[in-house]
């Protein structure tokens, strides 16, 4: 029987002050989502922390990411994965908005990174993301892979985009806990078991683990959000992603 479930949501304020806003901190155990607003000329320092991994996604603006003397400029939507063992500086050349997902690394995670260390920094521009499909989506839905599973321990990230009169059917993945973060233009109804919830722009949502969830896009609406997977059971979660995410092209 469909259930009614509590769905944690954090909508950002309409007027965003400069600085960092924690969002649903720890709602998924060991995770620390945050939103950073940088004005032109301002700088944010991110100290090294070998016990955490983090993914930074530039939502808007232009920023220079500097680590170990290496500069990288992002002036369009895209993700940046820094080396957790080194300090990072982010300097805004224009006003910049950045979503950060950080999570605690277990001993097994750190051992996995020691065996297969990514070639940091790992950068993915949004308009160059590979695309995939899933059986519960229509052929009008655009799904992108931003951080492919296997690059970082127990993590993957991507997005879904579609116009009006489209739908993502109810689906469930009990081995993967999940956040959604909506781009400003997102305006849809989340389907969570028996409930229908409005999901508008600049909002972080924790999809309850193991629940059936989907999306419905009505007249005049648009879907465009990031999904952020934290894999609870690595073997089952990776098998699910390998099976369900079918690459296109």
């Amino acid at each position: 029987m469909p259930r009614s479930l509590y769905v944690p949501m954090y909508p950002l304020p309409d007027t965003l002050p400069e600085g960092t806003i924690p969002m649903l901190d720890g709602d998924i155990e060991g995770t620390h989502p945050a939103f950073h607003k940088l004005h032109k000329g301002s700088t944010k320092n991110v100290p090294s922390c070998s016990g955490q991994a983090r993914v930074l996604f530039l939502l808007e603006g232009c920023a220079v990411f500097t680590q170990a003397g290496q500069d990288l400029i992002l002036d369009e939507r895209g993700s940046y994965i820094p080396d957790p063992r080194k300090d990072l500086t982010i300097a805004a050349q224009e006003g910049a908005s950045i979503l950060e997902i950080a999570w605690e690394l277990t001993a097994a995670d750190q051992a996995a990174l020691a065996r297969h260390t990514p070639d940091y920094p790992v950068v993915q521009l949004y308009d160059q993301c590979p695309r995939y499909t899933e059986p519960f989506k229509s052929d009008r839905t655009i799904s992108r892979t931003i951080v492919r599973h296997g690059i970082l321990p127990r993590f993957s990230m991507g997005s879904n985009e579609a116009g009006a009169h489209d739908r993502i059917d109810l689906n469930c993945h009990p081995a993967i806990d999940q956040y959604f973060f909506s781009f400003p233009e997102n305006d849809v109804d989340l389907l969570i078991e028996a409930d229908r919830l409005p999901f508008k722009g600049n909002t972080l949502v924790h999809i309850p683990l193991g629940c059936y969830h989907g999306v419905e896009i009505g007249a005049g609406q648009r879907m465009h959000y990031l999904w952020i997977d934290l894999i609870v059971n690595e073997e089952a979660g990776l098998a699910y992603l390998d099976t369900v995410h079918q690459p296109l092209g």
Side-chain angles (χ1 to χ4, degrees), residues 166-181:
D166 204 349
R167 177 184 172 93
I168 296 177
D169 290 335
L170 290 172
N171 63 97
C172 178
H173 37 71
I176 300 171
D177 219 340
Q178 194 170 56
Y179 290 118
F180 287 173
F181 180 82

PDB file of all heavy atoms in Angstrom, residues 166-181:
ATOM      1  N   ASP A 166       5.229  15.802 -19.204  1.00  0.00           N
ATOM      2  CA  ASP A 166       6.114  14.639 -19.174  1.00  0.00           C
ATOM      3  C   ASP A 166       6.059  14.069 -17.755  1.00  0.00           C
ATOM      4  O   ASP A 166       5.433  14.652 -16.863  1.00  0.00           O
ATOM      5  CB  ASP A 166       7.539  15.028 -19.572  1.00  0.00           C
ATOM      6  CG  ASP A 166       8.342  13.854 -20.115  1.00  0.00           C
ATOM      7  OD1 ASP A 166       7.874  12.699 -19.983  1.00  0.00           O
ATOM      8  OD2 ASP A 166       9.434  14.080 -20.662  1.00  0.00           O
ATOM      9  N   ARG A 167       6.725  12.942 -17.563  1.00  0.00           N
ATOM     10  CA  ARG A 167       6.599  12.258 -16.282  1.00  0.00           C
ATOM     11  C   ARG A 167       7.768  11.294 -16.102  1.00  0.00           C
ATOM     12  O   ARG A 167       8.239  10.687 -17.074  1.00  0.00           O
ATOM     13  CB  ARG A 167       5.270  11.493 -16.254  1.00  0.00           C
ATOM     14  CG  ARG A 167       5.006  10.658 -15.012  1.00  0.00           C
ATOM     15  CD  ARG A 167       3.708   9.883 -15.183  1.00  0.00           C
ATOM     16  NE  ARG A 167       3.505   8.924 -14.105  1.00  0.00           N
ATOM     17  CZ  ARG A 167       2.818   9.170 -13.004  1.00  0.00           C
ATOM     18  NH1 ARG A 167       2.258  10.346 -12.830  1.00  0.00           N
ATOM     19  NH2 ARG A 167       2.670   8.242 -12.071  1.00  0.00           N
ATOM     20  N   ILE A 168       8.239  11.160 -14.858  1.00  0.00           N
ATOM     21  CA  ILE A 168       9.107  10.054 -14.454  1.00  0.00           C
ATOM     22  C   ILE A 168       8.250   9.138 -13.585  1.00  0.00           C
ATOM     23  O   ILE A 168       7.733   9.563 -12.541  1.00  0.00           O
ATOM     24  CB  ILE A 168      10.341  10.546 -13.678  1.00  0.00           C
ATOM     25  CG1 ILE A 168      11.225  11.426 -14.567  1.00  0.00           C
ATOM     26  CG2 ILE A 168      11.152   9.359 -13.156  1.00  0.00           C
ATOM     27  CD1 ILE A 168      12.435  12.012 -13.858  1.00  0.00           C
ATOM     28  N   ASP A 169       8.060   7.917 -14.041  1.00  0.00           N
ATOM     29  CA  ASP A 169       7.198   6.989 -13.308  1.00  0.00           C
ATOM     30  C   ASP A 169       7.802   6.627 -11.954  1.00  0.00           C
ATOM     31  O   ASP A 169       9.026   6.716 -11.744  1.00  0.00           O
ATOM     32  CB  ASP A 169       6.980   5.719 -14.123  1.00  0.00           C
ATOM     33  CG  ASP A 169       6.117   5.957 -15.353  1.00  0.00           C
ATOM     34  OD1 ASP A 169       5.309   6.920 -15.338  1.00  0.00           O
ATOM     35  OD2 ASP A 169       6.256   5.193 -16.326  1.00  0.00           O
ATOM     36  N   LEU A 170       6.941   6.191 -11.043  1.00  0.00           N
ATOM     37  CA  LEU A 170       7.402   5.785  -9.722  1.00  0.00           C
ATOM     38  C   LEU A 170       8.459   4.690  -9.842  1.00  0.00           C
ATOM     39  O   LEU A 170       8.298   3.723 -10.597  1.00  0.00           O
ATOM     40  CB  LEU A 170       6.232   5.289  -8.886  1.00  0.00           C
ATOM     41  CG  LEU A 170       5.219   6.360  -8.442  1.00  0.00           C
ATOM     42  CD1 LEU A 170       4.010   5.694  -7.801  1.00  0.00           C
ATOM     43  CD2 LEU A 170       5.856   7.335  -7.483  1.00  0.00           C
ATOM     44  N   ASN A 171       9.548   4.864  -9.103  1.00  0.00           N
ATOM     45  CA  ASN A 171      10.628   3.885  -9.089  1.00  0.00           C
ATOM     46  C   ASN A 171      11.251   3.870  -7.702  1.00  0.00           C
ATOM     47  O   ASN A 171      11.033   4.771  -6.892  1.00  0.00           O
ATOM     48  CB  ASN A 171      11.666   4.207 -10.169  1.00  0.00           C
ATOM     49  CG  ASN A 171      12.354   5.542  -9.937  1.00  0.00           C
ATOM     50  OD1 ASN A 171      13.444   5.597  -9.381  1.00  0.00           O
ATOM     51  ND2 ASN A 171      11.721   6.648 -10.369  1.00  0.00           N
ATOM     52  N   CYS A 172      12.042   2.852  -7.433  1.00  0.00           N
ATOM     53  CA  CYS A 172      12.574   2.661  -6.081  1.00  0.00           C
ATOM     54  C   CYS A 172      13.968   2.048  -6.169  1.00  0.00           C
ATOM     55  O   CYS A 172      14.228   1.180  -7.014  1.00  0.00           O
ATOM     56  CB  CYS A 172      11.632   1.733  -5.306  1.00  0.00           C
ATOM     57  SG  CYS A 172      12.164   1.344  -3.634  1.00  0.00           S
ATOM     58  N   HIS A 173      14.881   2.493  -5.290  1.00  0.00           N
ATOM     59  CA  HIS A 173      16.227   1.907  -5.235  1.00  0.00           C
ATOM     60  C   HIS A 173      16.685   1.859  -3.769  1.00  0.00           C
ATOM     61  O   HIS A 173      17.316   2.783  -3.265  1.00  0.00           O
ATOM     62  CB  HIS A 173      17.216   2.696  -6.099  1.00  0.00           C
ATOM     63  CG  HIS A 173      17.021   4.183  -6.092  1.00  0.00           C
ATOM     64  ND1 HIS A 173      17.303   4.969  -5.004  1.00  0.00           N
ATOM     65  CD2 HIS A 173      16.562   5.012  -7.045  1.00  0.00           C
ATOM     66  CE1 HIS A 173      17.047   6.224  -5.280  1.00  0.00           C
ATOM     67  NE2 HIS A 173      16.574   6.287  -6.512  1.00  0.00           N
ATOM     68  N   PRO A 174      16.362   0.783  -3.058  1.00  0.00           N
ATOM     69  CA  PRO A 174      16.633   0.710  -1.616  1.00  0.00           C
ATOM     70  C   PRO A 174      18.111   0.674  -1.241  1.00  0.00           C
ATOM     71  O   PRO A 174      18.435   0.852  -0.064  1.00  0.00           O
ATOM     72  CB  PRO A 174      15.926  -0.582  -1.189  1.00  0.00           C
ATOM     73  CG  PRO A 174      15.584  -1.309  -2.434  1.00  0.00           C
ATOM     74  CD  PRO A 174      15.565  -0.345  -3.553  1.00  0.00           C
ATOM     75  N   ALA A 175      19.003   0.463  -2.197  1.00  0.00           N
ATOM     76  CA  ALA A 175      20.440   0.443  -1.889  1.00  0.00           C
ATOM     77  C   ALA A 175      21.097   1.814  -2.060  1.00  0.00           C
ATOM     78  O   ALA A 175      22.296   1.953  -1.848  1.00  0.00           O
ATOM     79  CB  ALA A 175      21.159  -0.583  -2.771  1.00  0.00           C
ATOM     80  N   ILE A 176      20.307   2.837  -2.467  1.00  0.00           N
ATOM     81  CA  ILE A 176      20.854   4.160  -2.761  1.00  0.00           C
ATOM     82  C   ILE A 176      20.013   5.223  -2.062  1.00  0.00           C
ATOM     83  O   ILE A 176      18.809   5.321  -2.300  1.00  0.00           O
ATOM     84  CB  ILE A 176      20.875   4.440  -4.282  1.00  0.00           C
ATOM     85  CG1 ILE A 176      21.744   3.407  -4.999  1.00  0.00           C
ATOM     86  CG2 ILE A 176      21.370   5.851  -4.574  1.00  0.00           C
ATOM     87  CD1 ILE A 176      21.656   3.481  -6.511  1.00  0.00           C
ATOM     88  N   ASP A 177      20.639   6.023  -1.200  1.00  0.00           N
ATOM     89  CA  ASP A 177      19.989   7.185  -0.612  1.00  0.00           C
ATOM     90  C   ASP A 177      20.204   8.364  -1.555  1.00  0.00           C
ATOM     91  O   ASP A 177      21.187   8.395  -2.305  1.00  0.00           O
ATOM     92  CB  ASP A 177      20.577   7.485   0.761  1.00  0.00           C
ATOM     93  CG  ASP A 177      19.516   7.923   1.762  1.00  0.00           C
ATOM     94  OD1 ASP A 177      18.434   8.350   1.332  1.00  0.00           O
ATOM     95  OD2 ASP A 177      19.784   7.853   2.978  1.00  0.00           O
ATOM     96  N   GLN A 178      19.328   9.364  -1.512  1.00  0.00           N
ATOM     97  CA  GLN A 178      19.341  10.336  -2.606  1.00  0.00           C
ATOM     98  C   GLN A 178      18.856  11.721  -2.174  1.00  0.00           C
ATOM     99  O   GLN A 178      17.887  11.858  -1.433  1.00  0.00           O
ATOM    100  CB  GLN A 178      18.440   9.817  -3.733  1.00  0.00           C
ATOM    101  CG  GLN A 178      18.596  10.518  -5.054  1.00  0.00           C
ATOM    102  CD  GLN A 178      17.850   9.783  -6.152  1.00  0.00           C
ATOM    103  OE1 GLN A 178      16.652   9.546  -6.061  1.00  0.00           O
ATOM    104  NE2 GLN A 178      18.562   9.403  -7.207  1.00  0.00           N
ATOM    105  N   TYR A 179      19.597  12.733  -2.651  1.00  0.00           N
ATOM    106  CA  TYR A 179      19.143  14.121  -2.617  1.00  0.00           C
ATOM    107  C   TYR A 179      18.760  14.543  -4.028  1.00  0.00           C
ATOM    108  O   TYR A 179      19.353  14.073  -5.015  1.00  0.00           O
ATOM    109  CB  TYR A 179      20.253  15.069  -2.157  1.00  0.00           C
ATOM    110  CG  TYR A 179      20.675  14.986  -0.715  1.00  0.00           C
ATOM    111  CD1 TYR A 179      21.986  14.624  -0.377  1.00  0.00           C
ATOM    112  CD2 TYR A 179      19.802  15.326   0.320  1.00  0.00           C
ATOM    113  CE1 TYR A 179      22.404  14.577   0.943  1.00  0.00           C
ATOM    114  CE2 TYR A 179      20.220  15.277   1.643  1.00  0.00           C
ATOM    115  CZ  TYR A 179      21.522  14.909   1.952  1.00  0.00           C
ATOM    116  OH  TYR A 179      21.928  14.861   3.264  1.00  0.00           O
ATOM    117  N   PHE A 180      17.803  15.463  -4.131  1.00  0.00           N
ATOM    118  CA  PHE A 180      17.536  16.213  -5.356  1.00  0.00           C
ATOM    119  C   PHE A 180      17.815  17.687  -5.057  1.00  0.00           C
ATOM    120  O   PHE A 180      17.431  18.183  -3.997  1.00  0.00           O
ATOM    121  CB  PHE A 180      16.067  16.111  -5.794  1.00  0.00           C
ATOM    122  CG  PHE A 180      15.630  14.797  -6.369  1.00  0.00           C
ATOM    123  CD1 PHE A 180      14.288  14.572  -6.648  1.00  0.00           C
ATOM    124  CD2 PHE A 180      16.525  13.775  -6.627  1.00  0.00           C
ATOM    125  CE1 PHE A 180      13.847  13.376  -7.184  1.00  0.00           C
ATOM    126  CE2 PHE A 180      16.101  12.559  -7.163  1.00  0.00           C
ATOM    127  CZ  PHE A 180      14.766  12.368  -7.439  1.00  0.00           C
ATOM    128  N   PHE A 181      18.455  18.388  -6.003  1.00  0.00           N
ATOM    129  CA  PHE A 181      18.579  19.844  -5.905  1.00  0.00           C
ATOM    130  C   PHE A 181      18.059  20.455  -7.199  1.00  0.00           C
ATOM    131  O   PHE A 181      18.513  20.102  -8.289  1.00  0.00           O
ATOM    132  CB  PHE A 181      20.015  20.305  -5.668  1.00  0.00           C
ATOM    133  CG  PHE A 181      20.128  21.800  -5.558  1.00  0.00           C
ATOM    134  CD1 PHE A 181      19.841  22.440  -4.368  1.00  0.00           C
ATOM    135  CD2 PHE A 181      20.477  22.573  -6.659  1.00  0.00           C
ATOM    136  CE1 PHE A 181      19.905  23.825  -4.258  1.00  0.00           C
ATOM    137  CE2 PHE A 181      20.541  23.956  -6.563  1.00  0.00           C
ATOM    138  CZ  PHE A 181      20.257  24.589  -5.363  1.00  0.00           C
TER     139      PHE A 181
END
